[in-house]
Amino acid sequence: MPYGPSPLLRSLNPLAVAAGDDLPDAVTVEGVALSRGDLLGAATSVAERVARAERVAVLAAPTVSTVLAVVGCLIAGVTVVPVPPDSGAAELEHILADSGAQAWLGPAPDGAALPVVPVRKHARSWHTYPEPDAAAPAFVLYTSGTTGPPKGVVLSRGAIAAGLDALADAWSWTAKDTLVHGLPLFHVHGLILGLLGPLRVGSRLVHTGKPTPRAYAQAEGTLYFGVPTVWSRVVEDPESARALSKARLLVSGSAPLPVPVFEKLRELTGQAPVERYGMSETMITLSTRADGERRPGWVGTPVRGVRTRLRDESGEPVPHDGESIGGLQVTGPMVFDGYLNRPEATAASWTEDGWFRTGDVAAIDAAGFHRIVGRESVDLIKSGGYRVGAGEVETALLGHPGVAEVAVVGLPDDDLGQRIVAFVVARGEVSEGFGAELIDHVARQLSVHKRPREVRVVPALPRNAMGKVQKKLLG
Ligand code: MCA
Ligand code: AMP
């Protein structure tokens, strides 16, 4: 190690950058290329402004400001709370109150009550900070549960380092790569893998703003990330898809990649995509490998440091025969610390012997290959790769005066995987624009990506003898 202790963002080692180990276009975002020196200088000046804070909120649009805010906090050892830029009123209020964020770093939503600390893109500082402890929390990421408002997932610096190193190993990801993606910067996928990954590995990153097929085709990367919706749009645009044949690796995750999309991608690009599986709580735990088999419909083997097992409903082992299905449990160094302020939910997530219950149902074959079959609960919906709790959408809809009863489900959708559909029993007269009004209501209260795509007004909801809504009958 010629330049002293290795920081979490290894490619931004101050001594190495000062000695000339720079890249003129380490990160390109909003069409602006930032060198390692630019990033380090500007982010260290952010660090100086926030170094005394414990936790700050960042409105995580895909911008230079977000990149500098996140990197600055990681340099100073301040915990970042990434906030979706399309957050509505109720979601914003919850995230800020629950996280205890002390300030907005960078742009803030209109009418923000917290102090706002600006991010100055052209400011520079060359102060050096000691590397914070690996156990220190780097992020609180808000993610949906089956019920209640989103929970804050606390991810430590050590978990992130281990998670990224395991992926570099699985995908043969090196400083020679150029990663391209256009994913949101407030989740593990776009933010941790997609921004911190390149800064740890030392590869270039090109963020395309939106993950459109044409933008991916034009970016000329070696490594591409996408959710299945992105890949299914890519194969609908054969010209853009063919342009990706020069890439080294196409990676899909966040939701199941439909087998026909896998096959079409292989046909158009000449290469089978790598599929990987993970969660906000665990980062990525399973993946096919750059140097291994890629099997449509399967998400591969445990990444370095991870162990997995299957359990039935009574906690008994399920055989790894490729057929039998059970609840997937994982352990590994990239697993989170717990849910912020939620000791009971945290305790319920782990088995007594220390395995994390993913809530996903899977099969494992004799060679250790995993197939994700679905979720244990119908109340966690995956739409366009976003995890949305049916309960939070139902709560938002019940806050509308025209709604008497509601059940929210995820129905199969060719583009989004699942589309959020609200079955509503109306209170009083139903006007013509009622459905659109309810969709807007959720977009304003929670966030645009949590809005139902469809509202169906029904005379009653199907209930069992206990009065519980039978969601399996809705569709
Ligand atoms: C439409 N719009 C509206 C409304 N209706 N705005 C306000 N109110 C309304 N009622 C606008 C939106 O603002 C947006 O505008 C435009 O319509 C399109 O929105 P939408 O239809 O939602 O977008 P889309 O094109 O369908 O999005 C598809 C997508 C997106 C790009 C694939 O779903 C996406 O980025 N998904 C990625 C999710 C992800 O990264 N998940 C990772 C979590 P405009 O666009 O003009 O502003 S999973 C994870 O981290 C784990 C660890 C893992 O395994 O990876
Ligand atoms: P999130 O916390 O938003 O990352 O959502 C995590 C969930 O996404 C997991 O529990 C799975 O249900 C789902 N998921 C992620 N990757 C895959 C994949 N490759 N195949 C199937 N489901 C996936």
Side-chain angles (χ1 to χ4, degrees):
M1 218 180 292
Y3 298 114
S6 176
L8 171 58
L9 305 180
R10 212 184 273 137
S11 72
L12 300 184
N13 187 317
L15 288 175
V17 173
D21 187 11
D22 205 345
L23 259 186
D25 50 357
V27 172
T28 304
V29 59
E30 295 184 281
V32 177
L34 301 166
S35 68
R36 287 181 187 152
D38 293 335
L39 279 167
L40 195 58
T44 306
S45 115
V46 170
E48 290 204 32
R49 283 176 171 255
V50 290
R52 282 167 190 260
E54 188 186 336
R55 212 175 277 161
V56 299
V58 174
L59 204 57
T63 58
V64 172
S65 174
T66 297
V67 170
L68 297 179
V70 167
V71 175
C73 287
L74 290 173
I75 289 172
V78 175
T79 307
V80 181
V81 183
V83 178
D86 64 348
S87 290
E91 190 137 317
L92 208 51
E93 195 182 318
H94 167 69
I95 293 176
L96 293 180
D98 189 67
S99 69
Q102 296 149 314
W104 283 103
L105 180 55
D110 293 340
L114 292 175
V116 179
V117 179
V119 168
R120 304 224 190 274
K121 295 172 199 162
H122 301 291
R124 296 287 183 272
S125 162
W126 306 107
H127 184 78
T128 50
Y129 287 82
E131 179 66 9
D133 199 84
F139 294 97
V140 180
L141 293 175
Y142 278 82
T143 191
S144 299
T146 51
T147 56
K151 297 190 288 267
V153 165
V154 181
L155 276 173
S156 71
R157 302 172 70 95
I160 291 170
L164 293 175
D165 291 350
L167 293 181
D169 169 63
W171 301 340
S172 307
W173 184 359
T174 70
K176 291 198 186 113
D177 279 305
T178 296
L179 171 66
V180 175
H181 74 88
L183 297 167
L185 296 187
F186 48 87
H187 281 310
V188 164
H189 196 165
L191 175 65
I192 298 188
L193 315 188
L195 173 63
L196 305 191
L199 294 178
R200 183 160 178 84
V201 169
S203 69
R204 290 185 177 80
L205 164 65
V206 175
H207 193 284
T208 59
K210 292 264 175 189
T212 62
R214 293 201 59 185
Y216 274 34
Q218 283 163 5
E220 300 195 349
T222 60
L223 178 62
Y224 283 81
F225 289 172
V227 297
T229 301
V230 169
W231 295 120
S232 104
R233 292 178 185 184
V234 164
V235 299
E236 292 299 312
D237 177 353
E239 199 186 322
S240 295
R242 282 192 202 101
L244 302 183
S245 54
K246 285 177 268 162
R248 187 177 67 76
L249 214 60
L250 311 178
V251 184
S252 179
S254 300
L257 182 68
V259 171
V261 177
F262 180 108
E263 300 291 10
K264 203 75 205 285
L265 208 48
R266 173 153 60 186
E267 190 188 309
L268 289 167
T269 66
Q271 58 172 305
V274 157
E275 193 172 3
R276 93 298 181 284
Y277 157 90
M279 295 182 74
S280 304
E281 289 88 337
T282 64
M283 299 196 40
I284 306 310
T285 48
L286 297 166
S287 184
T288 51
R289 297 180 59 88
D291 57 1
E293 181 193 355
R294 303 176 204 170
R295 195 188 298 172
W298 295 70
V299 296
T301 52
V303 298
R304 202 165 64 192
V306 170
R307 288 184 303 146
T308 60
R309 68 184 194 186
L310 298 177
R311 288 292 180 266
D312 68 13
E313 276 156 19
S314 48
E316 295 301 317
V318 171
H320 294 188
D321 57 12
E323 300 275 331
S324 308
I325 60 172
L328 177 66
Q329 301 182 353
V330 303
T331 65
M334 59 291 281
V335 174
F336 75 139
D337 292 342
Y339 297 110
L340 189 71
N341 307 325
R342 303 289 299 273
E344 281 166 24
T346 302
S349 305
W350 270 278
T351 63
E352 275 180 11
D353 56 347
W355 292 67
F356 177 75
R357 302 178 215 267
T358 64
D360 289 303
V361 178
I364 307 178
D365 77 5
F369 250 66
H370 290 60
R371 181 165 61 89
I372 306 296
V373 179
R375 298 260 345 149
E376 278 166 2
S377 167
V378 294
D379 284 330
L380 263 194
I381 301 168
K382 265 272 157 160
S383 188
Y386 285 115
R387 173 167 151 186
V388 181
E392 58 183 317
V393 181
E394 288 162 357
T395 304
L397 286 169
L398 286 170
H400 187 283
V403 175
E405 291 175 45
V406 63
V408 167
V409 295
L411 297 184
D413 186 279
D414 284 344
D415 180 45
L416 297 169
Q418 287 184 301
R419 108 180 148 272
I420 304 174
V421 180
F423 289 80
V424 169
V425 178
R427 195 187 297 281
E429 286 275 302
V430 172
S431 64
E432 205 185 313
F434 183 60
E437 188 184 317
L438 294 186
I439 292 171
D440 284 347
H441 175 75
V442 176
R444 276 196 310 270
Q445 286 293 308
L446 299 182
S447 58
V448 172
H449 64 266
K450 291 183 177 173
R451 73 190 188 278
R453 301 292 169 132
E454 198 187 325
V455 170
R456 296 192 199 168
V457 178
V458 290
L461 297 174
R463 291 182 186 274
N464 64 15
M466 308 291 289
K468 190 171 173 337
V469 176
Q470 293 182 287
K471 291 198 172 179
K472 295 232 158 84
L473 299 180
L474 295 170

